[in-house]
Amino acid sequence: MLPSRSDSQQRSLENPDKQTMRVDSTKRTDKLIEVPRKKLNMRLYTESEQKIQDYVNSKIVTISIIGLVGAYAILIFIIVALEELLDETEFNNVSSILSWIELGILIVFILEIFVGLYAWGIKKYYKDKWLILDTLIILLSLFFVIFELADQKTSNVIKVIQAVFRFLRIFLLIRKAQTFRRLATISTISTPAEKIVRFLAELKEVLEDENMKLDIDYCIDKIGNNQLYQMGKLDEDNAEAMAWLNQSQQGKTEVKRILTNEQQQQQQQQQKKVIANFQKLNIPKRLLDILFKQHDDLYIDPFECDKLCGGEGLVNLMLFFFENYNLFDVFLIKPKVVRGYFEEVMKGYLDNPYHNKVHAQDVAQTCNFLLSKCKFIEIGQLDEQDIACVLIAGAIHDYGHPGLTNAFLINSRNELALTYNDQSVLEMFHPSQCFKIAWGNQKVNIFENLQFHKYRRIRESIILMVLSTDMAHHASELAVTNSRIAAPDFEPNGKDKQRLMDLIVHSSDVSNPTKSYEIYKQWTEKVLTEFWQQGDKERDLGLPISYLCNRYTTNMAEAQVGFIDYVVKPTFACVLGFLPAYEPFFQNLDKNKAKWQELIEYYKQQLASIQPK
């Protein structure tokens, strides 16, 4: 759910491309308004004034002033306490020293005011009316301190007035503390964003047009709340794109290399070792031969692999990965534990047309394709724990999937939707259950021997990657990732690594259109069969039929053209931005799209023949 907005901000989000940001659009032109500086009465600050403003607003200066106000408050209490505890002679002996200290603090406050007046000018500096009171209190306090130092024998009335003005300074401490809290909040924004927000705030102060002020408020709100990449509503011409994007809501170590062209001399020895290890686990020879050749191949046939091992393709694939990436040693476990764990995971996949154990196997293998053949291991400098996280996330990402979308579960008030508060329902459910499998049975707990900090890192990473498969966040997350890839401080092997790992799993989950048309078509028929089964349930329950779930109106070919254009192609264009080795495979999208376009009329005729009477 989006953060709350003001009414004017909400209206401006509805369609920023086709309407103005305010209700009364007749009062504004579609072009930018050019306002003369003279009319705006805008003061242009010199470079030195701007530097002083930045320095005064800096965190270190603000903290120093707050510390000084705090010290002054303590000094006041000390003076009051000593005046009560000591007799007049003893107090007069120490009051002179305390007065000189107080005078020094007050001089600093006076300098602060003068610097502010120079940097911003009188009109803008005293725009905050409380600063007028501050100045008055400081000046009068300074007068009384100088008076006291000049004549120790002040009257009782003067002493009372002086004490009152001292205590009024405590209000400054409270106000400065509030200023510091605001500064701490703003400092979480990156430096360029902070400068933009400050500039917009200053611009607002010199504008007279109320509509322009509201627009500036809107901009500041979006930047401050990190909502630059949240999408507004698309226009009617992009209805199909909107339907696709909203479908779901209705310590580094050396990595052990595996079988590359550059290691031909070591290939035979490597194969013998791996074959021997897998033979101990009763891995079918025919499957093993395929995995040796195609473990990182985009065009491997997941259906054939599953048949070759009696429906245990997911288990055997994960055993292969654990052996080749040295993950048995990393997790400090025996192969039988890995087999046991993934057998339990495999059992948890229901016999759905699409979201089943073969789909999990396919996604895990596609993740490995992007890691190995497309060289994300090298580009992201992944260690063995990172590799394990990606592959495990791919294998478990749809565990226990009921063959229904989040939208259906929410609309039907399903127990899962109630448990996870309608937020990424299935994506929350899948990893939760898979971690329960491990910790519920010691014999299959692949995480048991990990050090606590390693386990926490692996658990957090896996959960993030599974959550990234929620299509509800597809558009916004893809926009942020694209912006990070284009940023000058992009670090695929550092601060951006987890985000890219998330995209590896998410892109693998929607990768069917990138593969051979024969495999892709099988997956398409399976997923639409599953969607149509849901649509039948929605029709029976009187619920709104979700996008693509109406078997009487969904043209399979048109649906796939839209899926490629609005989801898959933008996703893999982003992948190509940090994995240039993927480029030869990117053209598959256009080839497969062309084949579906040829079939649009065929599926239209098919729909016409099955319309209910």
Side-chain angles (χ1 to χ4, degrees), residues 3 30 66 101 106 140 195 230 379 393 415 422 451 458 584 612:
D30 293 333
I66 291 173
I101 295 174
L106 291 172
L140 289 175
K195 290 182 178 179
Q230 288 183 347
I379 291 172
E415 183 179 352
D422 299 347
Q451 294 178 343
I458 289 173

Side-chain angles (χ1 to χ4, degrees), residues 477-487 499 570-571 573-575 577:
E477 288 301 312
L478 193 64
V480 175
T481 304
N482 274 318
S483 70
R484 287 301 308 141
I485 293 172
R499 173 170 289 279
T571 299
C574 183
V575 170

Side-chain angles (χ1 to χ4, degrees), residues 18-80:
K18 285 199 169 183
Q19 65 181 41
T20 59
M21 292 184 178
R22 300 293 147 240
V23 178
D24 189 7
S25 59
T26 59
K27 294 184 179 179
R28 296 190 53 186
T29 63
D30 293 333
K31 298 180 180 180
L32 292 175
I33 299 176
E34 297 181 0
V35 186
R37 291 187 182 275
K38 186 176 181 180
K39 182 177 179 180
L40 291 176
N41 193 25
M42 182 183 293
R43 178 185 174 187
L44 299 178
Y45 295 108
T46 64
E47 184 178 353
S48 62
E49 289 173 337
Q50 291 176 352
K51 288 182 178 179
I52 294 175
Q53 290 174 8
D54 291 338
Y55 180 71
V56 172
N57 286 329
S58 66
K59 195 169 184 178
I60 187 171
V61 171
T62 303
I63 294 175
S64 300
I65 295 299
I66 291 173
L68 201 60
V69 174
Y72 189 46
I74 294 173
L75 179 65
I76 291 171
F77 286 113
I78 291 175
I79 293 174
V80 173

